[in-house]
Amino acid sequence: MKVILIGATGILGKNILAALKQYAHLEVVTVARKGGADLIADISSLSAIKEMYAAVGKFDAVICAAGDAYIGPFDTMTEENMYTGIKGKMMGQINLVMAGKDLISDKGSFTLTSGFISDDPVKGTINYAMVNGAIDNFVQAATIELERGIRINAVSPGWVVENYDGNMHTPTIGQYPVPIDKVVHAYYKSAFGYLSGQVFRVWEPSTQYVRK
């Protein structure tokens, strides 16, 4: 089973890759924008996405843990700033599905990344809130029309920490930290489980992470 992991050199990507390497039946093709991976591709470019798929050949799953958006105050934000997230995170991930849906194996899966900012925005993150919400809605709508048993989901991570010691504290952005293994599990469940059209909101409060 061949999996394409995009954003493999980031915090999320490195940890997802480490988890996938535990399974001998998985062949993982890593992709990054600047290097350190099997393939180089910038998902903000549709042509780069098509070249990536051509280089990979047959594949069974796509996991995307990449995509940029603009951070800055609303009173100085420009239309061009908006396009940072539109091209980098929103259309980049949508094009992964658009260009890949006819190439992926039967019963394959696409896993995209959105984020909690669309549900719990903070100052300076309008672009992230906008594109995250678009990704969530895209997967919920696309699952209705994807054929051949192809699944699609989004993972909405919280404020991710690699070494969470269990102590409750409030980071600057107002989110409690989410252990990286909990986030990685959501990506695995999305890619290799049975659900489709879901947004796995890993950051949501639970008995373990309760807002005060």
Side-chain angles (χ1 to χ4, degrees):
M1 186 174 187
K2 186 184 290 185
V3 182
I4 304 174
L5 175 59
I6 301 162
T9 59
I11 292 176
L12 286 177
K14 287 178 180 177
N15 284 275
I16 294 169
L17 178 60
L20 296 181
K21 283 183 175 179
Q22 299 177 38
Y23 300 92
H25 69 288
L26 296 179
E27 175 189 354
V28 184
V29 179
T30 58
V31 181
R33 184 172 57 181
K34 296 182 179 179
D38 297 324
L39 297 174
I40 305 300
D42 183 347
I43 65 169
S44 66
S45 166
L46 177 57
S47 61
I49 290 174
K50 290 180 177 179
E51 290 173 4
M52 176 197 73
Y53 282 138
V56 171
K58 182 180 178 180
F59 62 97
D60 304 285
V62 175
I63 299 174
C64 183
D68 292 332
Y70 175 79
I71 296 178
F74 187 41
D75 61 355
T76 59
M77 185 178 292
T78 66
E79 180 179 352
E80 194 62 32
N81 294 147
M82 287 288 193
Y83 285 127
T84 302
I86 292 172
K87 294 179 179 179
K89 188 166 188 180
M90 188 185 83
M91 285 311 304
Q93 295 192 90
I94 290 174
N95 280 333
L96 285 172
V97 181
M98 296 284 285
K101 61 183 173 61
D102 294 328
L103 305 175
I104 196 168
S105 301
D106 291 355
K107 298 182 180 180
S109 69
F110 292 95
T111 299
L112 310 184
T113 296
S114 58
F116 73 89
I117 294 295
S118 56
D119 295 285
D120 190 11
V122 296
K123 287 184 177 180
T125 62
I126 287 177
N127 197 213
Y128 267 104
M130 180 181 71
V131 299
N132 286 348
I135 292 298
D136 290 346
N137 288 324
F138 172 73
V139 301
Q140 291 168 349
T143 190
I144 299 171
E145 300 193 51
L146 285 172
E147 300 177 346
R148 301 188 289 116
I150 297 169
R151 298 182 302 103
I152 182 171
N153 297 297
V155 175
S156 178
W159 183 67
V160 176
V161 291
E162 294 188 87
N163 298 298
Y164 179 52
D165 60 9
N167 293 320
M168 301 298 287
H169 65 282
T170 304
T172 304
I173 57 175
Q175 282 284 326
Y176 287 120
V178 179
I180 189 66
D181 59 347
K182 184 178 180 183
V183 177
V184 169
H185 176 71
Y187 280 95
Y188 187 88
K189 181 177 180 179
S190 170
F192 307 112
Y194 298 96
L195 298 175
S196 187
Q198 303 295 307
V199 178
F200 295 99
R201 292 180 169 86
V202 189
W203 58 272
E204 281 191 318
S206 67
T207 55
Q208 186 178 3
Y209 308 104
V210 179
R211 295 188 189 184
K212 297 181 180 179

